[in-house]
Every structure is written in C-alpha cells, then in structure tokens.
Amino acid sequence: MGRFGLGMIRLGMEYYSGTSDWSPAEGGLLDLFVNSNFLHFAIFLFIISSLTMILVSYTAPAFSAEKLKNVVYVKPEKSGEGFNPGNRDFWLTLALIAAVLLIWIIFSPIVLG
C-alpha cells in the first residue's frame, strides 16, 4: 500500500474516531496510528518511503550508463574540467542558493517578529 493510501486511511479513521460510531481503544497501536501528531506521522511516512526506495533500488535491475548520463553527476576525468566559474550551471546554482537564503531570511522570526 502506498504512502498516499496510508495517509488517506488515517484521515478517514481520524475523522470517524470522534464520532459515536467508532473509536479506537486508548493506548493501542490503532490509537497511536489514528491520534498521533501529524508531524510524527510524517516521520513515519518518511521512513516507509525511504525503506521503499532502498528496497526498490536493490531489487530492480541497474540502468545502463547511457541511460543515466544526464541524470547522474560523474566527476570529469580531465584535470582541467571541474570547477569553472564561467559555467552557466555554476551561476544558476549560486542564484538558487541566494534565493533560498533570501526567502529564509524574509520569513524568519527575526524579520517577521
């Protein structure tokens, strides 16, 4: 069952847990599943997702190098290639880092507070 399915099942069970029709037994595993904090449940889903990715990556056949050439970074074999500030990717990476830092500063408690 996918993580989306687990989340939807929890949402439905949480919705009906406060009604008189059904309520999980206090202190049980089902109560922990239904009534845990959503951030703790997110950690649980993260662990399930990580384990799924690891399991799939170890059981699926490996892709060829040709298929992965534009997806995986490979360190250049020549010593002259590598760090190149004239490279467009270098400047776009710096711009992305600057944008993330700017958004982080703008919405930090120091500025908003």
Side-chain angles (χ1 to χ4, degrees), residues 3 41-54:
R3 278 75 53 211
F41 191 74
I43 292 171
F44 169 71
L45 289 180
F46 173 76
I47 291 169
I48 296 292
S49 298
S50 299
L51 291 174
T52 302
M53 287 190 305
I54 291 169

Side-chain angles (χ1 to χ4, degrees), residues 13 22-36:
M13 292 173 82
W22 176 80
S23 183
E26 276 193 49
L29 190 59
L30 194 57
D31 182 48
L32 180 68
F33 178 76
V34 173
N35 295 321
S36 65

Side-chain angles (χ1 to χ4, degrees), residues 17-89:
S17 70
T19 65
S20 61
D21 296 338
W22 176 80
S23 183
E26 276 193 49
L29 190 59
L30 194 57
D31 182 48
L32 180 68
F33 178 76
V34 173
N35 295 321
S36 65
N37 186 307
F38 74 97
L39 293 174
H40 296 149
F41 191 74
I43 292 171
F44 169 71
L45 289 180
F46 173 76
I47 291 169
I48 296 292
S49 298
S50 299
L51 291 174
T52 302
M53 287 190 305
I54 291 169
L55 181 68
V56 168
S57 68
Y58 278 118
T59 57
F63 289 113
S64 66
E66 178 65 28
K67 202 169 197 178
L68 295 176
K69 72 178 181 179
N70 292 326
V71 178
V72 178
Y73 176 77
V74 177
K75 187 175 180 181
E77 293 179 13
K78 298 178 185 175
S79 61
E81 297 178 19
F83 177 73
N84 182 6
N87 190 350
R88 187 181 98 171
D89 289 340

Side-chain angles (χ1 to χ4, degrees), residues 86-102:
N87 190 350
R88 187 181 98 171
D89 289 340
F90 172 79
W91 294 107
L92 288 175
T93 302
L94 283 181
L96 179 64
I97 292 170
V100 168
L101 288 175
L102 180 68

